[in-house]
Amino acid sequence: AGPMVELLGFHRQAFQELFEHEDGLCISARGLNFGRVLLSFMKLYCEFTCPAAGFGRRQQQQHPLVFVLNVGKGDTQMRIVEEVARMDCRTLPVFADFSSQADQAVAHAGHDFAPTTSPRRLPRIVTNELPPHEREVMYREGGVFMASNRILVVDLLSGRVPTSRISGFLVNNAERITEGSPEAFVLRLFRESNKVGFIKAFSENCVTLKSGFGKIQKLMRLLYVKNLLLWPRFRVEIKEALDLHPPQVVDLRVPMTENVKVIQSCLMAIMRACIKEINQTHHVFPSHTTNPNAET
């Protein structure tokens, strides 16, 4: 099954900040594993229910309907499901509140979420092998779904996905979204008929987003989000977490054989001869390069 997936302190803080905003774009530096924040939201919407429209919170509960975009296909999706299953979100503030006082609901995106009493649910993968009527039944049951853009567009346009029922979208690799991308079309269909649901986007490719003029502003417009959360590597929370476990540098040296030493000596002799000849005619190298040990 593998070890339990744990969150670092700055992961929990980033989760809390994005949770408090209905919409947001979270941009982080590479190598900080902010994918765990996305997994935490998937875990949240898998394990919690919200009141059905027209019913009191204690009368009828239903699972939120959440779609995840840009998470790859096949084995990548299966790996995400496995990681969500191993996710331990009890350290998150929202989960801690529920465990200490189960009746207290958290207001979020127009819904009051409460712990589910049903067996543990996991994200579901929607493929073209599922008949349309089965997909419609799955959507009405609620949950977290990973579907291809083509299937999602068809189901949205055909009405199989009740747009008013959608709680929100989680967007991975947000920097890939352009005006002509299918993800942008899906979000536009969603936002045109649903003004309440959330959109939370994630990106770890800050280098791509800083190129060009107003690229982040255009991206936020395509995502229909108003809040920008930046997590560079030099933030105090990240620096403190990384300083607790500084990297250990190990210098490994492989001894050279006698034949390799002969080859190295010949190459250095050739390099010295070439540099000396070039210097005599063009004087393009500094004088210190004529030192016998300068090539090393």
Side-chain angles (χ1 to χ4, degrees), residues 14-284:
F15 174 91
Q16 184 67 17
E17 290 182 3
L18 194 55
F19 180 82
E20 292 174 354
H21 296 89
E22 294 184 2
D23 301 318
L25 170 60
C26 179
I27 302 176
S28 63
R30 286 187 179 273
L32 299 178
N33 203 359
F34 260 68
R36 294 184 178 181
V37 181
L38 173 61
L39 296 178
S40 299
F41 277 104
M42 295 176 68
K43 183 77 168 183
L44 171 70
Y45 298 122
C46 281
E47 296 203 353
F48 282 80
T49 59
C50 59
F55 292 90
R57 184 168 65 88
R58 294 184 179 275
Q59 291 177 325
Q60 179 167 333
Q61 298 284 326
Q62 65 181 10
H63 285 273
L65 177 58
V66 179
F67 289 96
V68 188
L69 304 179
N70 278 346
V71 289
K73 300 178 180 179
D75 294 340
T76 303
Q77 293 177 330
M78 292 300 299
R79 186 170 64 252
I80 290 176
V81 174
E82 293 175 359
E83 292 182 356
V84 171
R86 295 187 288 109
M87 200 76 195
D88 183 10
C89 294
R90 289 172 295 180
T91 57
L92 295 175
V94 59
F95 279 78
D97 292 342
F98 286 133
S99 60
S100 61
Q101 188 175 359
D103 289 336
Q104 180 180 0
V106 175
H108 176 56
H111 296 292
D112 291 330
F113 287 90
T116 179
T117 56
S118 60
R120 185 180 61 175
R121 298 164 63 95
L122 294 174
R124 308 174 75 173
I125 301 174
V126 180
T127 64
N128 53 9
E129 297 178 358
L130 289 173
H133 66 277
E134 290 188 13
R135 298 202 301 266
E136 184 174 359
V137 172
M138 291 170 55
Y139 297 148
R140 295 192 181 278
E141 291 177 353
V144 178
F145 294 92
M146 294 181 287
S148 65
N149 298 320
R150 184 180 63 84
I151 294 177
L152 195 51
V153 169
V154 172
D155 289 345
L156 283 171
L157 293 177
S158 62
R160 296 190 189 98
V161 181
T163 311
S164 59
R165 167 81 169 80
I166 298 178
S167 302
F169 279 82
L170 300 173
V171 185
N172 189 37
N173 296 325
E175 73 280 353
R176 299 180 183 177
I177 295 182
T178 60
E179 292 186 3
S181 63
E183 295 86 359
F185 183 61
V186 168
L187 295 177
R188 184 164 66 252
L189 290 175
F190 165 66
R191 188 51 81 200
E192 286 178 353
S193 56
N194 188 325
K195 307 296 183 182
V196 180
F198 63 83
I199 297 176
K200 302 181 188 298
F202 303 84
S203 174
E204 295 185 6
N205 197 341
C206 54
V207 177
T208 301
L209 293 175
K210 76 175 184 179
S211 61
F213 178 75
K215 196 163 186 178
I216 294 181
Q217 182 179 1
K218 295 177 182 177
L219 178 60
M220 294 179 67
R221 177 171 52 83
L222 294 174
L223 292 170
Y224 297 93
V225 299
K226 299 179 181 179
N227 302 291
L228 177 62
L229 289 78
L230 299 177
W231 284 86
R233 192 177 295 272
F234 54 79
R235 276 191 63 153
V236 176
E237 299 89 341
I238 297 178
K239 186 177 183 302
E240 291 177 350
L242 297 181
D243 288 344
L244 295 176
H245 305 282
Q248 297 180 355
V249 180
V250 179
D251 187 10
L252 299 177
R253 295 178 180 268
V254 180
M256 294 186 295
T257 63
E258 292 299 326
N259 291 335
V260 174
K261 291 180 180 178
V262 173
I263 295 175
Q264 183 190 39
S265 177
C266 295
L267 290 175
M268 292 179 63
I270 295 172
M271 291 177 60
R272 283 195 294 267
C274 291
I275 292 175
K276 183 178 180 181
E277 185 175 349
I278 294 175
N279 252 359
Q280 288 177 350
T281 56
H282 301 285
H283 303 284
V284 294

